[in-house]
Amino acid sequence: MINKDQYKNLIMFLASTLILLVQVAIFYYIWNKYYNYSSVIGIMYFRWGYYALLAIYAIINFFFSKIFGAYKVGYLKVSEVVLSQILSVLCCNAVTYIQLALIGRWRFLHYVKPVLIMTAYDIIAVLIWIVFARWVYEKLFPARRLLLIYGKISPKELIRKITTRNDKYVIVAAVCLDEGFDEVVARMKEYEAVIIGDIPSTYRNKLLKYCYINGIRCYTIPKISDIMIKSSTTINLFDTELYLFRNRGLTVEQSFFKRLFDILISIIMLVLLSPLLIATALAIKLYDRGPVLYRQERLTINHQVFMIYKFRSMRVNSEGSSARLANADDDRITPVGRVIRRLHIDELPQLFNILHGEMSFVGPRPERPEIAKLYCQSVPEFEYRLKMKAGLTGYAQVFGNYRTTPLDKLKLDLTYIENYSLGLDFLIVIQTVKIFFQKDSSQGLEGGAKTALKNGGKPETVREDIDSELKERKGEEQRA
């Protein structure tokens, strides 16, 4: 029997190459029809001139497509792929138009209509491609049927998350470690893949080794130590391999360039966004005559406390004496506040915190001291995030959301801290554009919760039959 997974990367590479060639062909058509004339450019382009222009366009297109994840048609949700493709098309064609304007020595600076036509063609092409590529992917690689292995801690939250991507994964059965290691191994043989929940490392390592020996696809939740190991440096000076953990934070050079990056980006953004900042301030002031800015204590590197600046999105004195996060339908949020929170405009005054040196452009989002204390009671390692200066955006903001649990937020931020580079900062800044269009990134907590802790900060033990939970969710999917 042919293992189709062996060809997955090749198939997706061919699919990505196809849409790239289509977009290059569209650019070639627009260039020849509208731009490559003496009245516009001044000279005619032949052979190597064509090749250079097409190659440059292909490189720019490929760069933005990779940055935004526009080729991950089988990995991301369809809506996310559509958003990624549209953003990459807009950015690519904007840069291309600037390039064409420079070639024409700004003689057709306002001759933008052909580029708009090209953008429309590109968007139509990528939408057709997404539908086709997604259809091919689902036919060749249907959702995997998984066996869930869990321990003392309830896997209900994990099941909920996995269920949101039933196009890729379907948990069809579950087995608890309490049934015995031999019984778990026997059940594993019946399924094409397994997912290991939050279980002790001793048992997890045994299961991983069994999966490795028997060629069973295995998914597992990383522990905090796993993230540290993944970012370690390998030393092969002896016949015993060593993993090096420096645990020193940023080097002097990294700190210098990160600070330079922060200053340059924040100044550029303050200049470009000054009309938006002024308009937002006026809207807040005119709505209820209250203060425009909201100041609040937050934590940054080495437990330092600073005052963060935000546009006020709630009623004056709405919080009272207790610290709490916003809920999904929080009645404290003003109509103006809902708009600026949805578009993350309320965070823009933090550019002044960045200029002042209290924050960085990219880093772990700063928590309030009171809420951080609560999180540390449940997850003592949560303070590991304070090894890096707090940021306006960050790894957890791009790959998580407002309701991400403290433990998951810690793991995401640790991934950033342990793998820091200026290139990673640049990547996160670009990908932050995507979260403006994603509702989950700004949606508040549910059920009147005051923090992102689940079950009051206590691990939810297994009290119910997980098989019944799976059957119930399967029934919900069928009814939907």
Side-chain angles (χ1 to χ4, degrees), residues 58 146 172 237 316 469 474:
L146 305 177
V172 294
L237 295 177
V316 179
E469 173 76 14
K474 186 176 180 180

Side-chain angles (χ1 to χ4, degrees), residues 274-407:
S274 55
L276 178 61
L277 295 172
I278 295 171
T280 303
L282 287 174
I284 295 171
K285 194 68 177 178
L286 292 174
Y287 176 73
D288 60 7
R289 306 295 178 181
V292 171
L293 294 179
Y294 177 67
R295 300 201 313 159
Q296 194 178 71
E297 286 188 345
R298 295 292 178 98
L299 288 174
T300 187
I301 187 170
N302 298 327
H303 296 85
Q304 296 176 23
V305 179
F306 72 101
M307 299 300 295
I308 198 172
Y309 296 103
K310 300 179 71 174
F311 278 128
R312 182 174 59 85
S313 61
M314 296 186 179
R315 300 191 308 268
V316 179
N317 300 323
S318 60
E319 191 168 58
S321 58
S322 62
R324 57 175 295 190
L325 299 179
N327 296 122
D329 299 314
D330 205 316
D331 59 3
R332 300 174 300 163
I333 303 175
T334 66
V336 175
R338 292 198 182 279
V339 175
I340 64 175
R341 288 174 70 91
R342 177 69 182 84
L343 299 175
H344 300 272
I345 297 173
D346 60 321
E347 309 285 357
L348 292 181
Q350 290 161 44
L351 292 170
F352 294 102
N353 289 116
I354 296 173
L355 279 177
H356 195 259
E358 299 160 328
M359 292 177 62
S360 180
F361 204 89
V362 180
R365 282 297 293 162
E367 295 287 353
R368 297 187 62 175
E370 303 93 328
I371 293 179
K373 185 177 180 180
L374 289 175
Y375 288 170
C376 286
Q377 291 174 2
S378 176
V379 186
E381 299 89 351
F382 192 73
E383 65 178 13
Y384 292 178
R385 300 168 69 250
L386 300 179
K387 292 190 69 172
M388 182 80 78
K389 188 183 292 185
L392 175 62
T393 185
Y395 201 87
Q397 277 59 54
V398 171
F399 298 103
N401 56 60
Y402 194 82
R403 294 176 290 180
T404 300
T405 64
L407 180 58

